[in-house]
């Protein structure tokens, strides 16, 4: 069983930056497809960024060029560097994990459910 704990959220001005972290325990994240999803009040959740077990990366069009996903397999930490933040980025951000290697990492962004998900960290712009 994998546990995911996010941190790094907060309030930031338009154009500002934040870095989210997700610490995983219970298994080695290198075996997983990982990513960040967000949910704003009254909206469906949106897959934001994903990183496959082979290191391939996918982004939602809404964040391409502004967000960067990365991971440290040794430390079992997933990151999301968010730059040039906009009011529409305001949401509860979750990290999620599935012990699969997806054929196209962008497809993970469209999944409605995930095997493991953290409790979330709030980002307000």
């Amino acid at each position: 069983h994998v546990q995911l704990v996010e941190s790094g959220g907060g309030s930031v001005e338009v154009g500002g930056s934040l870095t989210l972290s997700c610490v995983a325990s219970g298994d080695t994240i290198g075996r997983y497809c990982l990513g960040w999803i967000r949910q704003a009040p009254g909206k469906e959740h949106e897959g934001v960024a994903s990183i496959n077990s082979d290191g391939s990366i996918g982004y939602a069009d809404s964040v391409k060029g502004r967000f960067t996903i990365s991971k440290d397999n040794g430390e079992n930490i997933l990151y999301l560097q968010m730059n040039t933040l906009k009011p529409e980025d305001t949401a509860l951000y979750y990290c999620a994990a599935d012990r699969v290697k997806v054929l196209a990492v962008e497809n993970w962004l469209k999944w409605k459910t995930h095997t493991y998900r953290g409790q979330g960290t709030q980002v307000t712009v």
Side-chain angles (χ1 to χ4, degrees):
H1 183 76
V2 173
Q3 291 185 322
L4 304 171
V5 179
E6 304 94 336
S7 63
S11 295
V12 64
E13 293 187 352
V14 173
S17 299
L18 281 174
T19 299
L20 305 184
S21 300
C22 174
V23 177
S25 60
D27 202 352
T28 304
I29 64 171
R31 305 172 182 174
Y32 289 75
C33 185
L34 305 160
W36 293 91
I37 54 178
R38 66 185 181 186
Q39 188 160 22
K43 295 186 178 181
E44 291 190 359
H45 84 254
E46 176 188 21
V48 172
S50 54
I51 184 165
N52 214 345
S53 56
D54 63 2
S56 55
I57 288 173
Y59 294 103
D61 288 343
S62 58
V63 305
K64 277 182 181 177
R66 300 189 299 121
F67 289 12
T68 302
I69 188 171
S70 62
K71 63 176 179 173
D72 184 329
N73 286 338
E75 296 294 326
N76 250 22
I77 302 176
L78 179 71
Y79 299 100
L80 185 68
Q81 173 68 43
M82 305 185 295
N83 297 326
T84 319
L85 283 162
K86 305 176 181 180
E88 50 264 44
D89 295 318
T90 295
L92 189 60
Y93 284 72
Y94 302 89
C95 68
D98 299 278
R99 192 168 174 176
V100 295
K101 179 181 177 182
V102 297
L103 294 178
V105 67
E106 295 83 1
N107 289 343
W108 186 93
L109 301 175
K110 304 173 186 176
W111 291 10
K112 298 299 184 184
T113 60
H114 299 281
T115 307
Y116 303 107
R117 195 180 80 169
Q119 294 299 306
T121 185
Q122 178 68 37
V123 172
T124 303
V125 184

